[in-house]
Amino acid sequence: MYLGFDLGTSGLRTVLMTGACDAIAVAEAPCAVSHPHVGWSEQDPNDWINAVKSCIATLCADHASALSSVRAIGMSGHMHGATLVDAGGDVLRPCILWNDTRAMDEAAMLDQTAGVREISGNIVFPGFTAPKLAWLARAEPDVFARVHKVLLPKDYLRFWLTGDFVSDMSDAAGTSWLDVGARDWSDDLLSASGMRRDQMPNLVEGSAVSGQLRPEIAAEWGIFHPVAVVGGGGDNAVAACGVGCLSEGDGFVSLGTSGVLLAAKDRFAPAPASAIHTFCHAVPDRWYQMGVILAATDCMNWLSRTLGPSPAELSGLLGDQIAGPNSVRFLPYLSGERTPHNDSRIRGSFMGLEIGTCHTDLTQSVMEGVSFALRDNLEALKNTGTQVDRLLAIGGGARSRYWVELLATILGVPIDLPVDGDFGAALGAARLAMMGDTGAHADDVMIRPEIAEMIDPRDDLCGAYDDAYGDYRAFYPAIRRLTK
C-alpha cells in the first residue's frame, strides 16, 4: 500500500493506493487561510500537521489493515510558500503563500538583476519564494536573522514526518533559487536575495527516497515496519503524474483555487518573457511549461460569499450546456495576475452590469472570465512553440460540465473529463511513492486515467465566444490604467 498527501490551499487530501495503482480510500481535512493585510495571504503550518492527523485518523478508523501495510509516502503541495524555521526547527512566523503579493517591489528588483531569468528560466513573480525572503530582510529583519532553513509547505510536513530538511526539483523550481536546467540550487540566484545554500533543504528527484517516517509516528498509525518518504513535488507536477501527463504533447487544464494550463516537455525550453513558467517535472529528466491565473474557482468562492448561495448552487443555475456568451464581462484579477500580464496590482471588475443583471448572469460571466484568462494562457503557450491539441480537465471546477464545455469552446480544444479528477495530485503523490519503493519506471506507473466523458468544442458557438474573447482582451489595458 502507498499513501499520497496533497496539501492544497484550502485543505489536505489523502489517498490510500494499492500496488496495482487503485485508490481504495480517500480522506480530507480543511485548512484556513488568513489575510491580515491587503495583498497578504498566510497559513499556520501547524494546521497542515493537524490536517494530516485528521486524515490518518479517518483512515485508521475505516481502513486500519490497509494503512498498516503502507510501504512508502509521497507528497504534493502548493508551491512558492515561505515556511521559515530556526535552528531548533521551530516555525518563526506564518507561512507566506503563493498568492501573497506583498513582495511585488522585491520581485521586480530581482527580475531586473542580470542573469536571474537566464538561470532560473522564469520571470520572478511576486508570489515566488525568493522575493518573499527579500521582503522579510527589509520588513522583519529580526525574523530574517533567525532563518535556519526555508521550507516549501509540503517540505515542512516532510520535516515533521521524517526529521529531514529535503525538497524536490519540481517544487524548488518555483523559488527563483533553482537552476532549472541543471536541477540544482544556484549560488548566484541565492545571493541575489541575500540567501545561502546552507539555508536550503537538500534536493532529490520526486520519485527518490528522501527519508524514513519517524518510528513513533508510524506506530501511532499502526505501522511497525520502515516506511520511505519520497521527494514528491509541487502540486501541478504531481497532478500531472496523477493523470499521466509526462511526455511532449500531454497537457491538462486545472480549475482549482488557481487556474493552470500545463504542457509536459521532454527538454528544458524556457521562455520567461512570455510569463509562462518552465519548471522541472516531478520525475527525472523531464520538464513542463504552464500558464497560471491566480484565481479560478477562487472567483466562484468570492461570488458565493458575496451573493450567498454555494458555488455548486450557483453553477447549477447554468445547467450542463452552454448557449452563447453573456453580455456581462468579468475580469478575474481578484489577486492580481501572472500569465500573461505579470501584474500584481491589477484588480478584477464587472463590465456591462444593468438593472436586470441577476445571479445567473454573474455566475456565467465569472466562468467566462476565468475561461478567457485561460485562453490568454493558451495563446502564451502557443507563442513559445508549444502545441496543445487535447487536454484533460482536473480540479474542483471540472465537476461543472457547463464550465468544461465552455472551456473547450473558448480554447478550441477537446477536453477529456477523467474519473475522480479531483484527486489527481494525491494519486500522483502515491504513484511517486510506489516508484521510490519499487524502482518502477515512470511510464509504467503514471498511466492516464479512465475517461468519463470527452467534450468537444461547440462549433456553432466558437465564433461568438471568439468575439467575446476579443472584447475581454481589450478591457485589460483600460482597467490597468485605472488601477495603477
Side-chain angles (χ1 to χ4, degrees), residues 17-301:
M17 186 188 82
T18 71
C21 291
D22 295 323
I24 65 166
V26 171
E28 296 184 82
C31 293
V33 178
S34 64
H35 303 283
H37 303 286
V38 174
W40 289 34
S41 185
E42 300 183 342
Q43 280 186 324
D44 181 353
N46 284 324
D47 289 350
W48 308 335
I49 294 173
N50 290 333
V52 171
K53 291 178 177 179
S54 175
C55 287
I56 293 297
T58 298
L59 295 179
C60 282
D62 300 333
H63 301 276
S65 177
L67 183 63
S68 70
S69 300
V70 165
R71 294 173 55 89
I73 298 170
M75 291 184 293
S76 161
H78 49 81
M79 298 178 68
H80 317 304
T83 315
L84 315 173
V85 299
D86 64 16
D90 294 324
V91 174
L92 290 168
R93 69 173 325 283
C95 175
I96 308 175
L97 297 184
W98 58 273
N99 55 352
D100 188 293
T101 58
R102 75 185 74 177
M104 63 180 75
D105 293 335
E106 288 78 9
M109 176 196 68
L110 289 172
D111 192 54
Q112 294 166 10
T113 302
V116 168
R117 285 192 183 186
E118 290 76 11
I119 298 171
S120 71
N122 293 277
I123 287 175
V124 182
F125 291 91
F128 282 14
T129 321
K132 292 168 181 163
L133 269 294
W135 174 88
L136 191 79
R138 175 179 61 82
E140 300 178 6
D142 292 344
V143 175
F144 182 80
R146 297 173 59 198
V147 173
H148 176 64
K149 294 288 182 183
V150 181
L151 301 177
L152 296 160
K154 76 166 193 332
D155 299 323
Y156 179 73
L157 276 184
R158 184 200 319 277
F159 171 60
W160 175 72
L161 291 169
T162 68
D164 298 316
F165 295 121
V166 182
S167 189
D168 76 288
M169 307 299 178
S170 69
D171 217 357
T175 61
S176 290
W177 290 322
L178 192 80
D179 183 329
V180 176
R183 302 172 89 95
D184 190 16
W185 298 121
S186 163
D187 292 319
D188 289 340
L189 292 178
L190 287 164
S191 64
S193 56
M195 302 302 294
R196 307 182 308 272
R197 184 178 286 256
D198 66 274
Q199 293 175 301
M200 299 296 109
N202 295 327
L203 289 172
V204 298
E205 293 287 353
S207 55
V209 174
S210 68
Q212 300 290 319
L213 182 64
R214 290 191 287 136
E216 60 269 29
I217 294 179
E220 290 176 4
W221 298 0
I223 304 172
F224 299 97
H225 56 260
V227 177
V229 178
V230 303
D235 49 5
N236 290 300
V238 181
C241 292
V243 297
C245 180
L246 296 182
S247 302
E248 195 87 25
D250 294 338
F252 71 72
V253 58
S254 174
L255 288 171
T257 303
S258 61
V260 172
L261 193 63
L262 181 148
K265 303 292 288 184
D266 293 335
R267 60 190 178 87
F268 179 54
S274 66
I276 289 291
H277 301 349
T278 303
F279 291 157
C280 303
H281 212 311
V283 294
D285 302 320
R286 305 195 198 195
W287 289 261
Y288 66 93
Q289 287 184 326
M290 68 177 179
V292 176
I293 64 173
L294 290 177
T297 60
D298 228 14
C299 292
M300 287 295 291
N301 293 335

Side-chain angles (χ1 to χ4, degrees), residues 417-433:
L417 276 176
V419 176
D420 294 331
D422 201 19
F423 293 96
L427 183 62
R431 289 176 170 182
L432 289 168

